[in-house]
Amino acid sequence: MRSRKPASVKGPFPIVGIGASAGGLEAVTRLLTPLSSTTGMAFVLVQHLDPTRESLLTGILQNATAMPVAQAKNGVRILPNHVYIIPPNAHMVVSDGHLKLMPRPAGAPAMSVNCFLCSLAEQLGNKAIAVILSGTASDGALGVRAIKAEGGIVFAQDEKSAGHFGMPQSAAATGVVDFVLPPEKIAAELASIASHPVLLPVVADFFHDSESLGTIFRLLQAATRVDFNLYKPSTIKRRLMRRLMLHKLKSLDQYAALLAADSDEVRALHDDLLIHVTSFFRDPKATSALRAKAF
């Protein structure tokens, strides 16, 4: 079986997966317009489109950004500082740095955002970024969970600025969204984290500092009574790198100092390490039911 690379070193550059539906054109325009054309990130728009009509998004969005904008073609290599748009009547995934297209199942609910984000999480790990913009229904909620589980960062549009709040609200309800903001502020956050060492093509080794790591474990155990020393190292690294990015810190000793001064951040790190997708295994009722009925 082919072994997977650790999530902390996946992908040469970050890819931002943007999910949108009704009201999405205005939101995407507001997101792209203030963004620099040299962030080093690639942007892939997965919008719910009429499967029977040709999309005009490429021409419209090209007027909003200096980055090249193109409708995705099967097998196209993803390049940084480019914008790619899903074609109508298609599902799309990331595979080895390329976009792969497949027909959208006839009559199936539109879940193209989930499809793309799940593949993005698997392929890029902590270099995967999700942005859920205006839209109805709940597409994207499953995808943002996958991004969070691999150590990526998740944004959702705020209710006040969204034409339709269904998709952003469903994403926020998962509990894994890091920022709920209007599109312009999402763009500012993306620009801010773009140069973080965690997202550079060659990831810096933050974990040679065993003293700071030991301090972090002691602070966690003192506050939560959970000893994370025996947790899977790759999971610990992904979560800590996420927290460094979110706080725009460049070293573990800086983060250890933040934890020592901020009990809320200790709790946030604890919750990040014990992600919601595994909460079932810590549910006393679920455990009791398994013990009584299955084992």
Side-chain angles (χ1 to χ4, degrees), residues 11-13 15 75-79 84 93-100 123-124:
F13 53 84
I15 297 176
V76 67
R77 183 168 186 81
I78 306 170
L79 298 174
Y84 302 90
V93 298
V94 180
S95 179
D96 293 326
H98 297 75
L99 293 173
K100 302 291 185 182
Q123 292 282 307
L124 264 75

Side-chain angles (χ1 to χ4, degrees), residues 275-286:
I275 57 174
H276 293 283
V277 292
T278 63
S279 60
F280 168 84
F281 298 101
R282 296 184 300 280
D283 183 336
K285 291 183 179 179

Side-chain angles (χ1 to χ4, degrees), residues 222-279:
T224 68
R225 299 183 180 180
V226 179
D227 182 1
F228 286 95
N229 278 286
L230 298 180
Y231 271 57
K232 189 176 179 182
S234 61
T235 300
I236 296 291
K237 289 182 179 182
R238 282 200 302 269
R239 302 289 169 232
L240 287 175
M241 291 168 79
R242 242 182 63 78
R243 303 310 301 180
L244 286 171
M245 270 196 293
L246 290 174
H247 291 286
K248 304 174 182 65
L249 301 175
K250 301 297 177 70
S251 66
L252 274 187
D253 65 322
Q254 289 179 335
Y255 186 62
L258 171 64
L259 287 175
D262 187 348
S263 60
D264 289 340
E265 179 58 23
V266 176
R267 176 57 60 182
L269 174 59
H270 170 268
D271 292 345
D272 223 346
L273 289 164
L274 301 178
I275 57 174
H276 293 283
V277 292
T278 63
S279 60

Side-chain angles (χ1 to χ4, degrees), residues 34-283:
L35 274 171
S36 162
S37 61
T38 58
T39 61
M41 298 173 166
F43 300 85
V44 182
L45 172 60
V46 182
Q47 177 144 357
H48 295 169
L49 302 170
D50 185 338
T52 65
R53 300 179 62 182
E54 183 179 348
S55 172
L56 301 177
L57 278 176
T58 301
I60 295 171
L61 293 181
Q62 187 62 82
N63 293 325
T65 177
M67 291 183 283
V69 180
Q71 182 168 285
K73 295 182 179 179
N74 189 43
V76 67
R77 183 168 186 81
I78 306 170
L79 298 174
N81 305 314
H82 283 61
V83 180
Y84 302 90
I85 301 172
I86 191 171
N89 203 28
H91 276 182
M92 182 167 63
V93 298
V94 180
S95 179
D96 293 326
H98 297 75
L99 293 173
K100 302 291 185 182
L101 302 178
M102 59 203 76
R104 179 174 153 185
M111 290 294 172
S112 48
V113 180
N114 281 334
C115 179
F116 180 77
L117 292 180
C118 288
S119 75
L120 186 63
E122 181 180 355
Q123 292 282 307
L124 264 75
N126 70 305
K127 291 184 180 179
I129 300 171
V131 177
I132 304 298
L133 299 177
S134 176
T136 57
S138 62
D139 192 15
L142 180 64
V144 298
R145 285 179 179 271
I147 297 287
K148 172 68 175 287
E150 290 293 340
I153 296 199
V154 180
F155 296 85
Q157 187 172 0
D158 70 320
E159 182 174 9
K160 186 176 180 180
S161 70
H164 298 270
F165 194 49
M167 283 175 57
Q169 184 178 43
S170 295
T174 64
V176 305
V177 174
D178 298 299
F179 299 96
V180 178
L181 299 167
E184 296 86 354
K185 291 190 176 181
I186 294 176
E189 285 293 336
L190 288 172
S192 178
I193 68 174
S195 60
H196 195 282
V198 168
L199 295 180
L200 295 178
V202 178
V203 177
D205 180 10
F206 293 94
F207 299 94
H208 63 281
D209 186 353
S210 58
E211 183 176 345
S212 294
L213 195 57
T215 299
I216 290 169
F217 286 148
R218 286 192 296 274
L219 289 167
L220 280 168
Q221 188 167 8
T224 68
R225 299 183 180 180
V226 179
D227 182 1
F228 286 95
N229 278 286
L230 298 180
Y231 271 57
K232 189 176 179 182
S234 61
T235 300
I236 296 291
K237 289 182 179 182
R238 282 200 302 269
R239 302 289 169 232
L240 287 175
M241 291 168 79
R242 242 182 63 78
R243 303 310 301 180
L244 286 171
M245 270 196 293
L246 290 174
H247 291 286
K248 304 174 182 65
L249 301 175
K250 301 297 177 70
S251 66
L252 274 187
D253 65 322
Q254 289 179 335
Y255 186 62
L258 171 64
L259 287 175
D262 187 348
S263 60
D264 289 340
E265 179 58 23
V266 176
R267 176 57 60 182
L269 174 59
H270 170 268
D271 292 345
D272 223 346
L273 289 164
L274 301 178
I275 57 174
H276 293 283
V277 292
T278 63
S279 60
F280 168 84
F281 298 101
R282 296 184 300 280
D283 183 336

